């Protein structure tokens, strides 16, 4: 199975298909620390990262923002003292696209780099 971190986001327009339950279940195995909240009927991918202080959390939030811009696919980023909560979903389809799983895996990979 191709690693999500090796994939690139595809341009995503309204009308693009949401990820299937089957593919979601398969790919979630690569991002086990992420949860799947549903907010206002929109399924999202979410993970909270803990840090020793605000400055380290802030630096990580900046790297997530850089990553998002590089792929032109953008998350919600909540920056708090010692914590960053990242939430991915695809606005254009009000749900999850494979792009969101790719970006979640790439977000995790920032911790190793
Ligand atoms: C205009 C529209 O916002 C852009 O095409 C891109 C930007 N980044 C995006 N990010 C996310 N998460 N979903 C989108 O639908 C999306 N669309």
């Amino acid at each position: 199975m191709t690693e999500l971190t090796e994939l690139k986001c595809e341009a995503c327009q309204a009308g693009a298909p949401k990820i299937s339950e089957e593919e979601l279940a398969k790919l979630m195995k690569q991002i086990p620390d992420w949860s799947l909240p549903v907010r206002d009927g929109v399924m999202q991918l979410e993970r909270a990262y803990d840090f020793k202080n605000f400055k380290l959390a802030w630096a990580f939030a900046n790297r997530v923002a850089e990553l998002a811009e590089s792929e032109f696919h953008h998350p919600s980023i909540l920056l708090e003292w010692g914590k960053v909560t990242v939430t991915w979903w695809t606005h254009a389809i009000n749900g999850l696209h494979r792009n969101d799983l790719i970006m979640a895996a790439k977000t995790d990979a920032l911790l190793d780099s």
Side-chain angles (χ1 to χ4, degrees):
M1 174 180 15
T2 307
E3 290 300 311
L4 285 167
T5 51
E6 294 167 18
L7 300 173
K8 296 289 283 177
C9 286
E10 63 188 57
C12 187
Q13 288 94 18
K18 290 186 177 71
I19 190 168
S20 69
E21 284 184 23
E22 184 185 11
E23 190 178 16
L24 178 61
K26 185 179 74 171
L27 294 178
M28 281 302 288
K29 293 183 174 67
Q30 293 189 43
I31 49 171
D33 296 316
W34 291 75
S35 63
L36 290 165
V38 177
R39 296 192 174 99
D40 298 326
V42 179
M43 185 178 279
Q44 302 174 332
L45 270 170
E46 187 159 286
R47 180 179 178 184
Y49 298 85
D50 295 320
F51 297 91
K52 292 197 183 86
N53 54 43
F54 186 81
K55 201 167 178 183
L56 289 171
W58 183 5
F60 179 73
N62 281 344
R63 295 185 69 205
V64 176
E66 294 284 343
L67 169 68
E69 196 57 15
S70 72
E71 295 273 357
F72 203 63
H73 196 69
H74 304 87
S76 159
I77 305 171
L78 173 62
L79 172 58
E80 302 169 272
W81 192 99
K83 186 174 178 180
V84 176
T85 303
V86 182
T87 307
W88 292 100
W89 77 100
T90 300
H91 316 145
I93 63 172
N94 275 328
L96 286 181
H97 185 276
R98 196 169 66 150
N99 287 348
D100 299 304
L101 282 91
I102 291 168
M103 295 308 287
K106 290 187 174 195
T107 307
D108 282 346
L110 291 175
L111 294 171
D112 308 328
S113 61

